[in-house]
Each structure stands twice: as structure tokens, then as C-alpha cells.
Amino acid sequence: MALPEFNLSGELPEGVHAATLEEIFARFGGAALQRQQVTERVRLIYRLASETGKLARFFLYGSYVTAKPAPRDVDVFLIMTADFNAEDCTEEAAALFDHETADRILGASVFSTTLRASEAQIAFFLDSWQIKRDQTRRGIVEALSDDRKR
């Protein structure tokens, strides 16, 4: 498996770790019902974002990509193409781009930007989501699409 082992805290080592969706689901889908349910949310979110035709990059962070047996939700960062406009989405996909709606309907904390953001801004976001509440650092995962596989 391409993803590194967990550290002693049950986190991935610091950094952005790339993996296919299949690798992510194999590693984090788990046998526990809660993990399976959260994995289905990740599948739905990825499908909705992909169906816009404007998804550039997809990141997961937080408890889902840890050893925690029962993550409550999923944390997602979407980078959409520069020409993306949420108003052009289906109603179902549009829920991804309203933080409160995504939380309420999808059980997910979804943040997004477009490729209009500078590389420095995107790097800042990715770095920020590696910092935990206790100020220690953890790894996050980028889901590679079929056309971006290693």
C-alpha cells in the first residue's frame, strides 16, 4: 500500500500522501460500521465533485485518515478548476460548496477553492490542515483520480 504506517499517535506522518481511492478505501474503510458509513460519505462527495467536471484535486484530513476506530465525520478540501462556478452545479452537488449544508446533509466538513488561488494559498491551506488542535502535526491524503495515478 502506498500510504505510510501510522505513528504512535495513530496519525499518518506529516505531509501530503497521495493514494488512489481504492487504496484509501482499503486502508480507512474498516470493518466497523461507523467507518463504513463515513467511507460511503467520502464516495458520495467524490462522486458529486467529480460529476461537476471541474474537480482538480481532492484531499482528506482529520479523523477519517487516522487509526481512530469511529470517526464522526469526514474533512475534505476540494480544489476545483479555475472556471468552476457552484451556480452551474446540480442541486445535490451544490451542497458541497456551502459549508453548513455539507455538514448538515453530508456529515462532512468541506472546504473548497479553485485553481485561481495562488500556489502559495493552496500550500497554506494544505499546511494548515496538517496542524491538529494540540499544535502537533499529522499527514493528510490526496485522492488521485484515474487520470492522475502515479
Side-chain angles (χ1 to χ4, degrees), residues 128-143:
S128 296
W129 283 308
Q130 291 181 65
I131 302 170
K132 296 177 7 183
R133 288 185 181 110
D134 66 3
Q135 300 305 303
T136 58
R137 298 182 66 82
R138 63 178 171 206
I140 62 178
V141 177
E142 179 174 9

Side-chain angles (χ1 to χ4, degrees), residues 2 19 24 38 61-62 70 77 82 91 93 116 125 137 146:
I24 290 167
V38 174
Y61 60 99
F77 176 48
E91 185 176 334
R116 290 187 303 265
F125 291 136
R137 298 182 66 82
D146 288 337

Side-chain angles (χ1 to χ4, degrees), residues 99-133:
H99 190 78
E100 290 179 15
T101 302
D103 186 44
R104 187 180 72 254
I105 294 175
L106 302 170
S109 182
V110 181
F111 294 92
S112 65
T113 191
T114 68
L115 290 174
R116 290 187 303 265
S118 71
E119 285 294 321
Q121 288 171 312
I122 291 171
F124 174 79
F125 291 136
L126 294 174
D127 184 65
S128 296
W129 283 308
Q130 291 181 65
I131 302 170
K132 296 177 7 183
R133 288 185 181 110

Side-chain angles (χ1 to χ4, degrees), residues 5-6 12 14 45 50-51 53-54 61-63 66 73-74 90 93 105 118 123 126 132 134 137 145 150:
E5 294 301 316
F6 294 124
L12 292 172
E14 181 178 345
I45 292 164
S50 293
E51 286 176 353
K54 305 292 182 176
Y61 60 99
S63 62
T66 69
D73 64 359
V74 63
T90 64
I105 294 175
S118 71
L126 294 174
K132 296 177 7 183
D134 66 3
R137 298 182 66 82
S145 62
R150 301 178 221 55

Side-chain angles (χ1 to χ4, degrees), residues 39-53:
T39 296
E40 288 309 308
R41 288 184 220 157
V42 174
R43 285 184 198 280
L44 175 61
I45 292 164
Y46 189 87
R47 180 182 60 80
L48 292 172
S50 293
E51 286 176 353
T52 67

